[in-house]
Amino acid sequence: MVRLNVPSFQKDVIYIFQFAGNSRVSSTSPFCIKVEAFCRLHNLKFERRDTTSSRGSNGLLPFIELNGQQTADSEFILKRLTEHFHLNFPDDRTEGIGFALERMIENHTRHLLRLDMSRTVDVIARDFMVDNNFPSFVVPIGASIGGWMLMRQFRRAGTAAIGRFTAAEYGEMLRNDLLQLQNVLGDKQFLLGEEATRV
């Protein structure tokens, strides 16, 4: 049995446990942002709980607590919310296309975006330090070291997921992913139609 972080919960209120954000984003994790955006799109009542110490049953963030039950991992969280609040796809074909798009975005496009971001992570590290009131004399050193560490992490994860290519080849793959998403979107409001879905 998992110990609840919110034992005195309100019925149907989603408690989202996630990495803290900064002045620009609600969280530094795209998976945490995905869960929050899903709740906002569907007007679900939620409370964000920024944490550095609590973790879900899989040892990661985000996780949610809903009606006394904990669910970890953004994919399982969205599945649970979809079922609990009856937010299903309009038909099986749309659900299949949505699943394929979601896998592409999370397992390919995301890594390409991180590889592209790896060129400017020192700016991300600096902004994080400034937003969290680090002493000004530490910021240049911390941004340099933090940026170097983030760049290594992004590049290592990207090459493990996609393979080793030149920067130009990564750029071409990213442009192609974004073009295909644009083609699927067309003139619709959302990727799979006029209603928001998990994707």
Side-chain angles (χ1 to χ4, degrees), residues 119-192:
R119 295 175 295 140
T120 59
V121 289
D122 57 325
V123 175
I124 296 168
R126 185 200 66 221
D127 289 350
F128 174 81
M129 295 177 79
V130 169
D131 288 345
N132 287 286
N133 300 316
F134 280 70
S136 60
F137 70 91
V138 174
V139 172
I141 298 164
S144 179
I145 294 169
W148 177 78
M149 290 171 61
L150 275 173
M151 178 189 68
R152 282 189 53 197
Q153 179 185 358
F154 285 2
R155 288 184 178 165
R156 188 177 299 135
T159 55
I162 297 169
R164 199 172 295 279
F165 296 94
T166 66
E169 290 168 327
Y170 286 133
E172 183 59 33
M173 285 188 262
L174 179 57
R175 276 188 292 283
N176 188 49
D177 277 15
L178 296 176
L179 177 64
Q180 299 314 318
L181 289 169
Q182 181 179 344
N183 289 340
V184 171
L185 179 62
D187 60 358
K188 299 182 294 292
Q189 185 173 358
F190 297 100
L191 276 174
L192 297 177

Side-chain angles (χ1 to χ4, degrees), residues 15 30 41-42 53 63 69 84 108 139 142 149 161 179 187-189 198:
Y15 300 93
L41 279 169
H42 292 287
S53 57
F63 70 91
Q69 290 185 314
H84 182 80
H108 196 258
V139 172
M149 290 171 61
L179 177 64
D187 60 358
K188 299 182 294 292
Q189 185 173 358
R198 272 200 324 256

Side-chain angles (χ1 to χ4, degrees), residues 38-184:
F38 182 86
C39 291
R40 289 181 187 279
L41 279 169
H42 292 287
N43 296 313
L44 302 177
K45 188 171 182 183
F46 71 93
E47 290 183 18
R48 190 172 64 223
R49 303 288 173 100
D50 296 339
T51 182
T52 55
S53 57
S54 295
R55 294 291 189 266
S57 57
N58 62 352
L60 302 172
L61 292 174
F63 70 91
I64 65 163
E65 291 182 2
L66 173 63
N67 296 338
Q69 290 185 314
Q70 189 181 103
T71 305
D73 189 270
S74 61
E75 182 177 348
F76 292 115
I77 291 169
L78 297 191
K79 185 177 188 312
R80 174 150 184 241
L81 296 177
T82 298
E83 291 170 357
H84 182 80
F85 293 103
H86 308 290
L87 305 169
N88 296 318
F89 286 98
D91 57 62
D92 290 344
R93 182 177 185 281
T94 304
E95 184 171 7
I97 293 169
F99 181 81
L101 285 171
E102 194 171 16
R103 297 282 63 86
M104 181 190 87
I105 293 166
E106 289 189 359
N107 297 319
H108 196 258
T109 311
R110 176 178 68 95
H111 289 292
L112 290 168
L113 286 167
R114 290 178 85 186
L115 284 163
D116 189 61
M117 278 178 41
S118 70
R119 295 175 295 140
T120 59
V121 289
D122 57 325
V123 175
I124 296 168
R126 185 200 66 221
D127 289 350
F128 174 81
M129 295 177 79
V130 169
D131 288 345
N132 287 286
N133 300 316
F134 280 70
S136 60
F137 70 91
V138 174
V139 172
I141 298 164
S144 179
I145 294 169
W148 177 78
M149 290 171 61
L150 275 173
M151 178 189 68
R152 282 189 53 197
Q153 179 185 358
F154 285 2
R155 288 184 178 165
R156 188 177 299 135
T159 55
I162 297 169
R164 199 172 295 279
F165 296 94
T166 66
E169 290 168 327
Y170 286 133
E172 183 59 33
M173 285 188 262
L174 179 57
R175 276 188 292 283
N176 188 49
D177 277 15
L178 296 176
L179 177 64
Q180 299 314 318
L181 289 169
Q182 181 179 344
N183 289 340
V184 171

